[in-house]
Amino acid sequence: MTQDIENLIQHLPDDIISIGVRLNGDADEALALVRRIIDASVVHLGLESAKLNDLYLATTEACTNVIRHAYHHDESKFFDVEFKVCTDFIMIELLYNDPGFDPDKIPVPNLMETERKEGGLGVFLMKQLMNYVKYTTDAVSGDVSLKMVKLFKS
């Protein structure tokens, strides 16, 4: 399935709707705007509420991770979120800078721990909720791309 989704990403359909926004480290404003963009971009598709909630949760988790871990709530730092929507899927891409970030070092949470610290589930949840989640990093510049895809017909 991963290869099929990567093929979709490389050959986007002509009728795709593309929306981009630049956000800063103000979590409240950024997350509210992201939710409104998701609503506006998929309203015509009549998605079932479970898929819409998956989009909200995965995207707000991704944005929160940038704001909290990469930018430490610094409102002078900006990141881009691009939404590409068609009848079959949505691709959400976050573009930001986080020198030293290595997605391979994100631990898989142990959900059986009785005394878990708060947090640490964001990437795990994104991978559970979306059909495709892939980080690409540039070690020299520190630029990070996070692509997430949710298929609507499955």
PDB file of all heavy atoms in Angstrom, residues 98-107 135 137 144:
ATOM      1  N   ASP A  98      14.005  21.985  11.776  1.00  0.00           N
ATOM      2  CA  ASP A  98      14.310  21.404  13.080  1.00  0.00           C
ATOM      3  C   ASP A  98      15.661  20.697  13.000  1.00  0.00           C
ATOM      4  O   ASP A  98      15.722  19.474  12.871  1.00  0.00           O
ATOM      5  CB  ASP A  98      13.215  20.432  13.504  1.00  0.00           C
ATOM      6  CG  ASP A  98      13.363  19.960  14.950  1.00  0.00           C
ATOM      7  OD1 ASP A  98      14.282  20.434  15.655  1.00  0.00           O
ATOM      8  OD2 ASP A  98      12.554  19.110  15.359  1.00  0.00           O
ATOM      9  N   PRO A  99      16.760  21.484  13.051  1.00  0.00           N
ATOM     10  CA  PRO A  99      18.091  20.877  12.956  1.00  0.00           C
ATOM     11  C   PRO A  99      18.285  19.802  14.021  1.00  0.00           C
ATOM     12  O   PRO A  99      17.899  19.967  15.169  1.00  0.00           O
ATOM     13  CB  PRO A  99      19.042  22.053  13.197  1.00  0.00           C
ATOM     14  CG  PRO A  99      18.238  23.262  12.863  1.00  0.00           C
ATOM     15  CD  PRO A  99      16.814  22.925  13.231  1.00  0.00           C
ATOM     16  N   GLY A 100      18.829  18.687  13.616  1.00  0.00           N
ATOM     17  CA  GLY A 100      19.097  17.597  14.543  1.00  0.00           C
ATOM     18  C   GLY A 100      17.943  16.630  14.714  1.00  0.00           C
ATOM     19  O   GLY A 100      18.102  15.587  15.348  1.00  0.00           O
ATOM     20  N   PHE A 101      16.768  16.953  14.166  1.00  0.00           N
ATOM     21  CA  PHE A 101      15.626  16.041  14.285  1.00  0.00           C
ATOM     22  C   PHE A 101      15.884  14.785  13.468  1.00  0.00           C
ATOM     23  O   PHE A 101      16.291  14.851  12.312  1.00  0.00           O
ATOM     24  CB  PHE A 101      14.338  16.719  13.799  1.00  0.00           C
ATOM     25  CG  PHE A 101      13.157  15.788  13.737  1.00  0.00           C
ATOM     26  CD1 PHE A 101      12.601  15.283  14.898  1.00  0.00           C
ATOM     27  CD2 PHE A 101      12.613  15.418  12.526  1.00  0.00           C
ATOM     28  CE1 PHE A 101      11.502  14.425  14.849  1.00  0.00           C
ATOM     29  CE2 PHE A 101      11.523  14.572  12.458  1.00  0.00           C
ATOM     30  CZ  PHE A 101      10.969  14.074  13.613  1.00  0.00           C
ATOM     31  N   ASP A 102      15.669  13.652  14.087  1.00  0.00           N
ATOM     32  CA  ASP A 102      15.814  12.369  13.414  1.00  0.00           C
ATOM     33  C   ASP A 102      14.563  11.543  13.676  1.00  0.00           C
ATOM     34  O   ASP A 102      14.367  11.032  14.787  1.00  0.00           O
ATOM     35  CB  ASP A 102      17.052  11.631  13.933  1.00  0.00           C
ATOM     36  CG  ASP A 102      17.295  10.312  13.233  1.00  0.00           C
ATOM     37  OD1 ASP A 102      16.443   9.871  12.426  1.00  0.00           O
ATOM     38  OD2 ASP A 102      18.352   9.701  13.484  1.00  0.00           O
ATOM     39  N   PRO A 103      13.695  11.407  12.678  1.00  0.00           N
ATOM     40  CA  PRO A 103      12.444  10.680  12.894  1.00  0.00           C
ATOM     41  C   PRO A 103      12.652   9.218  13.287  1.00  0.00           C
ATOM     42  O   PRO A 103      11.778   8.621  13.920  1.00  0.00           O
ATOM     43  CB  PRO A 103      11.706  10.801  11.560  1.00  0.00           C
ATOM     44  CG  PRO A 103      12.745  11.163  10.565  1.00  0.00           C
ATOM     45  CD  PRO A 103      13.823  11.886  11.307  1.00  0.00           C
ATOM     46  N   ASP A 104      13.795   8.665  12.937  1.00  0.00           N
ATOM     47  CA  ASP A 104      14.072   7.273  13.304  1.00  0.00           C
ATOM     48  C   ASP A 104      14.320   7.108  14.804  1.00  0.00           C
ATOM     49  O   ASP A 104      14.325   5.991  15.313  1.00  0.00           O
ATOM     50  CB  ASP A 104      15.268   6.736  12.522  1.00  0.00           C
ATOM     51  CG  ASP A 104      14.982   6.650  11.034  1.00  0.00           C
ATOM     52  OD1 ASP A 104      13.796   6.428  10.661  1.00  0.00           O
ATOM     53  OD2 ASP A 104      15.915   6.817  10.234  1.00  0.00           O
ATOM     54  N   LYS A 105      14.530   8.213  15.503  1.00  0.00           N
ATOM     55  CA  LYS A 105      14.778   8.151  16.946  1.00  0.00           C
ATOM     56  C   LYS A 105      13.514   8.387  17.777  1.00  0.00           C
ATOM     57  O   LYS A 105      13.590   8.463  19.000  1.00  0.00           O
ATOM     58  CB  LYS A 105      15.861   9.149  17.336  1.00  0.00           C
ATOM     59  CG  LYS A 105      17.225   8.758  16.778  1.00  0.00           C
ATOM     60  CD  LYS A 105      18.319   9.643  17.295  1.00  0.00           C
ATOM     61  CE  LYS A 105      19.649   9.149  16.727  1.00  0.00           C
ATOM     62  NZ  LYS A 105      20.749  10.007  17.117  1.00  0.00           N
ATOM     63  N   ILE A 106      12.368   8.507  17.115  1.00  0.00           N
ATOM     64  CA  ILE A 106      11.113   8.669  17.847  1.00  0.00           C
ATOM     65  C   ILE A 106      10.743   7.297  18.413  1.00  0.00           C
ATOM     66  O   ILE A 106      10.530   6.350  17.653  1.00  0.00           O
ATOM     67  CB  ILE A 106       9.985   9.186  16.934  1.00  0.00           C
ATOM     68  CG1 ILE A 106      10.353  10.557  16.368  1.00  0.00           C
ATOM     69  CG2 ILE A 106       8.662   9.253  17.699  1.00  0.00           C
ATOM     70  CD1 ILE A 106       9.413  11.045  15.279  1.00  0.00           C
ATOM     71  N   PRO A 107      10.678   7.176  19.725  1.00  0.00           N
ATOM     72  CA  PRO A 107      10.406   5.857  20.304  1.00  0.00           C
ATOM     73  C   PRO A 107       8.948   5.421  20.082  1.00  0.00           C
ATOM     74  O   PRO A 107       8.037   6.254  20.053  1.00  0.00           O
ATOM     75  CB  PRO A 107      10.682   6.052  21.791  1.00  0.00           C
ATOM     76  CG  PRO A 107      10.486   7.514  22.024  1.00  0.00           C
ATOM     77  CD  PRO A 107      10.859   8.203  20.739  1.00  0.00           C
ATOM     78  N   TYR A 135       8.314  11.105   7.130  1.00  0.00           N
ATOM     79  CA  TYR A 135       9.190  12.241   7.375  1.00  0.00           C
ATOM     80  C   TYR A 135      10.354  12.182   6.389  1.00  0.00           C
ATOM     81  O   TYR A 135      10.909  11.113   6.145  1.00  0.00           O
ATOM     82  CB  TYR A 135       9.790  12.174   8.785  1.00  0.00           C
ATOM     83  CG  TYR A 135       8.866  12.590   9.893  1.00  0.00           C
ATOM     84  CD1 TYR A 135       8.139  11.650  10.603  1.00  0.00           C
ATOM     85  CD2 TYR A 135       8.752  13.930  10.250  1.00  0.00           C
ATOM     86  CE1 TYR A 135       7.300  12.030  11.646  1.00  0.00           C
ATOM     87  CE2 TYR A 135       7.915  14.315  11.297  1.00  0.00           C
ATOM     88  CZ  TYR A 135       7.199  13.360  11.974  1.00  0.00           C
ATOM     89  OH  TYR A 135       6.381  13.738  13.006  1.00  0.00           O
ATOM     90  N   THR A 137      14.001  14.405   5.982  1.00  0.00           N
ATOM     91  CA  THR A 137      14.811  15.442   6.617  1.00  0.00           C
ATOM     92  C   THR A 137      16.047  15.742   5.784  1.00  0.00           C
ATOM     93  O   THR A 137      16.549  14.891   5.055  1.00  0.00           O
ATOM     94  CB  THR A 137      15.258  15.012   8.030  1.00  0.00           C
ATOM     95  OG1 THR A 137      16.026  13.808   7.924  1.00  0.00           O
ATOM     96  CG2 THR A 137      14.066  14.768   8.937  1.00  0.00           C
ATOM     97  N   VAL A 144      12.570  19.892   7.384  1.00  0.00           N
ATOM     98  CA  VAL A 144      11.806  18.666   7.580  1.00  0.00           C
ATOM     99  C   VAL A 144      10.518  18.766   6.771  1.00  0.00           C
ATOM    100  O   VAL A 144       9.870  19.809   6.733  1.00  0.00           O
ATOM    101  CB  VAL A 144      11.445  18.465   9.075  1.00  0.00           C
ATOM    102  CG1 VAL A 144      10.625  17.188   9.273  1.00  0.00           C
ATOM    103  CG2 VAL A 144      12.696  18.438   9.943  1.00  0.00           C
TER     104      VAL A 144
END
